[in-house]
Amino acid sequence: MKTSKKPVALRQKPEATGLDARARLLDRNKRPIVPLRHAFVQRPQGHSPRHGPLKTFVRNGDLRGLRAYLTIVGASGGTRDGAWTTQLDSLVWARLFDAEATATQLAARTAAWRTLDRLEQRGLITKNRTERGARRIEVTLLREDASGEPYTRPDGQDESDRFLRIPTAFWKNDLDAKITLPGLAMLLVVAKEKPWSAYPPDRMEEWYGWSADTTQRGLKALLDHDLVERRETYTPAPLSPTGSTLMYQYRLVKWMRPPAGSRPEGNTK
């Protein structure tokens, strides 16, 4: 007598994405916001030039590097032996940087290492393999001003320690993967400055280190993604035909403006 075999359901192997990895890291640290010192965007008054390390990413067209750096800042939620360190397999780093999606594993691992290498050369992190030939990479944050000094949790007590806040929902909504480099740079600028600030195109090179065109494209990207609000304002111009000049002021939308009391710290590892 023939017996029929019960069909076995085939289970598809799940594929982890960069979005999945970034969300898991942020959840692990249990933090509602990610702090970033103002000095990364613009150095405190009295410095010349005022440009912060952000300028290098914009000038070099390094969107992957900037996204990677912000991800590392978000991932580093606690201390290990007095340093802010995250240790992951190189393929996980590649996934976090979206380098795994369109490359072989070997190429993705190489892309992750090269991305981290650029950040190290810019004085923002240090990196090490956990042991010779190992695939796990240990990344330690340095101070955001690229001074090479050890990273400490910002507390905002003086001008050099002031920080902007990025809500973790920015990553969880995958906006970091959708926005352009000019948009991401201007997002950090708007987050740093007071609400309803203006960004005169002819001053942006002096203040932040990039062109008027980059500024305009960045602000447009923020408007397109509903990340900022814009309002009109007028300045007196007695010698112009209209007697005034129209300017636009910007601020982050409400959900992108965490309360001033939001705690920057995360879990202690």
Side-chain angles (χ1 to χ4, degrees):
M1 181 173 123
K2 293 184 179 179
T3 58
S4 59
K5 292 184 178 179
K6 186 177 180 180
V8 178
L10 296 176
R11 294 187 176 182
Q12 185 175 10
K13 181 180 178 182
E15 293 185 7
T17 66
L19 174 60
D20 296 332
R22 292 186 291 273
R24 181 62 60 89
L25 264 186
L26 293 165
D27 286 342
R28 186 178 75 176
N29 289 336
K30 295 184 173 66
R31 63 195 330 188
I33 63 105
V34 173
L36 184 71
R37 280 184 175 84
H38 287 182
F40 178 72
V41 179
Q42 185 184 53
R43 301 185 192 281
Q45 296 224 7
H47 287 72
S48 182
R50 295 288 307 280
H51 316 145
L54 177 58
K55 167 191 171 181
T56 302
F57 292 88
V58 177
R59 288 288 186 90
N60 291 353
D62 190 8
L63 177 58
R64 174 174 287 177
L66 179 55
R67 289 184 58 215
Y69 175 65
L70 296 177
T71 298
I72 292 167
V73 175
S76 304
T79 61
R80 178 185 174 188
D81 299 329
W84 288 68
T85 299
T86 302
Q87 188 183 110
L88 296 167
D89 187 276
S90 60
L91 194 60
V92 179
W93 284 117
R95 185 175 303 135
L96 286 167
F97 305 160
D98 288 329
E100 183 196 31
T102 58
T104 64
Q105 286 195 5
L106 179 59
R109 291 179 188 276
T110 300
W113 181 262
R114 288 176 177 172
T115 299
L116 292 170
D117 196 50
R118 293 199 301 278
L119 300 182
E120 186 172 47
Q121 290 175 11
R122 294 170 191 171
L124 295 168
I125 65 163
T126 61
K127 70 178 190 316
N128 293 286
R129 296 195 184 276
T130 53
E131 58 186 53
R132 186 178 180 85
R135 289 180 170 179
R136 292 185 68 81
I137 302 174
E138 186 175 86
V139 175
T140 300
L141 272 182
L142 299 176
R143 196 173 174 92
E144 297 99 320
D145 59 6
S147 64
E149 294 294 319
Y151 180 85
T152 58
R153 179 186 293 124
D155 58 18
Q157 292 301 306
D158 57 58
E159 188 177 4
S160 66
D161 213 32
R162 301 271 167 79
F163 60 94
L164 59 91
R165 301 168 174 84
I166 309 173
T168 55
F170 175 71
W171 285 273
K172 292 183 177 182
N173 290 332
D174 208 24
L175 287 164
D176 69 304
K178 297 175 181 176
I179 200 165
T180 62
L181 177 59
L184 187 52
M186 286 306 302
L187 177 73
L188 297 177
V189 169
V190 177
K192 170 193 176 292
E193 301 297 347
K194 294 179 180 178
W196 298 125
S197 291
Y199 303 99
D202 59 336
R203 302 297 302 276
M204 297 302 287
E205 174 72 35
E206 174 189 352
W207 290 348
Y208 302 105
W210 56 77
S211 68
D213 179 65
T214 296
T215 300
Q216 294 302 319
R217 287 188 289 121
L219 291 171
K220 183 180 184 303
L222 295 182
L223 289 168
D224 289 345
H225 287 288
D226 295 320
L227 290 169
V228 296
E229 301 169 336
R230 183 177 72 176
R231 72 180 184 186
E232 295 180 350
T233 185
Y234 294 88
T235 57
L239 298 182
S240 73
T242 61
S244 62
T245 300
L246 170 65
M247 293 187 66
Y248 291 109
Q249 296 176 328
Y250 299 83
R251 73 172 180 182
L252 296 176
V253 294
K254 187 174 181 179
W255 72 267
M256 282 289 295
R257 288 182 274 129
S262 297
R263 299 178 65 191
E265 65 268 27
N267 268 359
T268 298
K269 297 178 184 175

